[in-house]
Amino acid sequence: MVDLVQKHPSGGYILEELRVGMAAEKIITATEDRIRLFAEASDDFNPVHLDEAFAAKTAYRGRIAHGLLSASFGSAVVGTVLPGAGSIYISQQLQFHLPVRIDDVVTIRISVISVDQESARVELNCEGFVDGKLIMDGIATVRVPRRRKPSAR
């Protein structure tokens, strides 16, 4: 059973609040600006992402977004919604199934598949969809805080 949750009022869920089946979604558009900024941030200027004339001659018949840009949308969910603030990526296994094109609307769904109280880690199923089609999926391991940081006074 999937329990779709919203951002925690504190900014993040702590380990004791997480349970198998919790899930969160975020919808992000792969805009021209995001692709350009990601190329600058990652130093990945592959012309399949940036040059329409070059990309038109590839198997994709046009420009596509960086795969890791799409994957970073999952990071946005993990870092801001589920588990949220204070969570730290340990690992990510990922497969890409379909390309993401400029202005595609990507729905990212992150769901808790296991909680390890001893190590303070959770395993998350990570999926991305465009028009209902699976574009990527994988499993992330994330360390989660055991308690909230006290508020500053």
Side-chain angles (χ1 to χ4, degrees):
M1 183 176 128
V2 174
D3 176 17
L4 205 55
V5 299
Q6 302 300 312
K7 184 174 181 176
H8 193 280
S10 73
Y13 291 87
I14 59 173
L15 186 67
E16 292 73 19
E17 294 170 326
L18 296 172
R19 63 191 176 287
V20 172
M22 290 175 80
E25 290 186 350
K26 188 172 185 81
I27 297 171
I28 303 174
T29 303
T31 63
E32 174 79 35
D33 283 344
R34 281 194 166 111
I35 292 168
R36 183 182 45 76
L37 290 169
F38 189 84
E40 290 176 19
S42 66
D43 208 31
D44 178 354
F45 295 98
N46 183 335
V48 77
H49 308 304
L50 303 169
D51 181 335
E52 186 60 44
F54 176 91
K57 297 174 187 167
T58 69
Y60 298 109
R61 303 285 183 248
R63 291 175 53 203
I64 60 172
H66 302 74
L68 291 180
L69 171 60
S70 301
S72 74
F73 298 162
S75 179
V77 178
V78 170
T80 65
V81 183
L82 183 68
S87 59
I88 303 293
Y89 255 98
I90 303 297
S91 67
Q92 174 76 56
Q93 168 268 328
L94 196 59
Q95 295 91 39
F96 298 100
H97 304 289
L98 294 170
V100 172
R101 299 188 182 277
I102 297 168
D103 294 327
D104 275 353
V105 176
V106 180
T107 300
I108 298 296
R109 183 180 307 130
I110 303 294
S111 54
V112 178
I113 57 175
S114 73
V115 178
D116 185 334
Q117 295 290 334
E118 192 169 315
S119 69
R121 294 180 182 191
V122 295
E123 281 190 317
L124 304 171
N125 188 48
C126 307
E127 298 173 306
F129 301 89
V130 171
D131 294 328
K133 297 178 187 138
L134 184 68
I135 55 122
M136 67 180 173
D137 65 345
I139 305 294
T141 301
V142 175
R143 190 174 194 303
V144 181
R146 292 182 187 277
R147 62 189 67 80
R148 289 193 177 81
K149 182 178 177 182
S151 61
R153 300 220 183 230

